[in-house]
Amino acid sequence: MKIAAAAYRMEELPSLEAYAEKLESWVAGADADLLVFPEYAAMELATITGRAGDLQAAIDAVSELQDEVAAIHVHLAHRYDRYILAASGPVRAGGRTVNRARLFGPAGDHVAQDKQIMTRFERETWGISPGGPLEVIETPHATVGILICYDAEFPLLARALSEAGADVLLVPSCTDRRQGWSRVRVGAMARALENQCITVQAPTVGDCPWCAAVDENYGSAAIYAPPDGAFPDSGILSESLADTPGWARAEIDMEGLRRVRQTGSQLNASDWSAQTPRLTALSRSALG
């Protein structure tokens, strides 16, 4: 299974046709079965309507274009025979606004996944709410789960997906500074270690002064594995240049991943349950 994670630069776009052309150039050049685009990279769509400068107007603009954007992804997934995790964006749903990503398949279908836990900016400034529950998505290549940015910093979310069968966790992210990107990176690597799975981080990069929500972006795309078996000692299968648009690509040996879970030097995934009796036996001591 070939995976590509995008370090993606948002741009001001004159039309939906220009967006479709840009996206197709990325998809055509990826050479992978599964492509992952970043969190909130859909905000560039607001520039098409001229409403990117106002936070709430930008939300409306992006949300209103969801059907047209879905049609573009359906076409590209079918034409190039690829699974595409589209850039997430704000969507008005049932009287609230959620941060939603959608995974499109070559057959023309798709599954939506909303972010579970909001950052302070999303909650306090932008008014974004937690969305629908986590889902495990079956594909012919692997069983996939999606943890949008901050979600990857919470081990129990990843554990729930892993216990439901997820082999690959997709982590689209959007962070303004290196420290934010590092938090998500550390979280993604830890989730790969704990669950003996593959994690895929796809960030936004570059400055976008036309939208206060995504005006600064830092990161590099990467694909992580448990540092065991035939996987790299660092756990890093592929990593793009920092703050530079482009793809990080890796070919995943799914059978090798299953062997690590069964016969690895350590068995983190199956040993997870060993924590529980240690926690219930928690006691308190005092030293003078």
Side-chain angles (χ1 to χ4, degrees):
M1 178 187 187
K2 295 180 181 179
I3 299 177
Y8 186 84
R9 184 186 296 275
M10 292 172 282
E11 300 175 284
E12 293 186 84
L13 300 168
S15 65
L16 195 61
E17 290 74 22
Y19 172 76
E21 290 174 6
K22 177 185 179 181
L23 190 62
E24 182 161 13
S25 70
W26 276 79
V27 172
D31 186 28
D33 305 301
L34 171 61
L35 317 183
V36 183
F37 286 95
E39 177 191 37
Y40 284 129
M43 293 310 301
E44 67 181 348
L45 292 162
T47 65
I48 295 171
T49 67
R51 290 185 279 169
D54 179 89
L55 287 179
Q56 294 305 313
I59 287 176
D60 289 333
V62 174
S63 185
E64 289 163 9
L65 288 171
Q66 287 303 297
D67 290 345
E68 291 91 336
V69 170
I72 292 169
H73 285 83
V74 166
H75 167 71
L76 293 175
H78 176 70
R79 178 174 181 181
Y80 291 94
D81 192 26
R82 289 171 186 169
Y83 290 83
I84 304 173
L85 182 69
S88 84
V91 176
R92 302 285 194 192
R96 58 182 177 163
T97 304
V98 300
N99 179 4
R100 178 169 294 168
R102 290 183 286 185
L103 181 62
F104 293 85
D109 51 351
H110 72 271
V111 175
Q113 178 62 69
D114 297 337
K115 191 171 184 176
Q116 302 294 294
I117 302 176
M118 302 299 104
T119 63
R120 291 193 63 187
F121 175 80
E122 288 174 302
R123 182 173 62 248
E124 299 171 11
T125 304
W126 216 5
I128 309 294
S129 300
L134 291 172
E135 292 200 43
V136 172
I137 307 164
E138 301 281 354
T139 80
H141 303 289
T143 303
V144 173
I146 302 167
L147 295 171
I148 300 176
C149 200
Y150 193 41
D151 287 349
E153 299 181 33
F154 295 89
L156 295 184
L157 296 181
R159 186 62 190 177
L161 290 169
S162 178
E163 290 184 344
D167 305 301
V168 178
L169 301 179
L170 310 183
V171 184
S173 67
C174 178
T175 51
D176 58 354
R177 288 172 292 175
R178 183 167 184 166
Q179 63 180 213
W181 166 78
S182 295
R183 283 200 313 269
V184 181
R185 179 179 188 265
V186 168
M189 295 184 78
R191 306 300 80 86
L193 171 68
E194 294 161 353
N195 299 294
Q196 295 179 294
C197 67
I198 303 300
T199 57
V200 184
Q201 184 179 5
T204 50
V205 298
D207 292 342
C208 302
W210 36 264
C211 182
V214 291
D215 54 341
E216 295 178 288
N217 301 273
Y218 178 89
S220 67
I223 301 169
Y224 308 115
D228 199 354
F231 295 114
D233 292 346
S234 65
I236 302 172
L237 290 169
S238 178
E239 192 166 28
S240 69
L241 294 175
D243 225 18
T244 303
W247 291 107
R249 301 179 181 87
E251 186 164 1
I252 310 300
D253 177 4
M254 298 304 297
E255 191 55 43
L257 183 67
R258 295 183 185 100
R259 284 197 299 273
V260 164
R261 288 177 173 173
Q262 294 168 1
T263 62
S265 62
Q266 304 299 331
L267 301 174
N268 299 73
S270 60
D271 286 342
W272 178 275
S273 60
Q275 298 175 93
T276 305
R278 303 295 99 199
L279 297 174
T280 56
L282 188 67
S283 62
R284 183 185 298 273
S285 297
L287 291 174

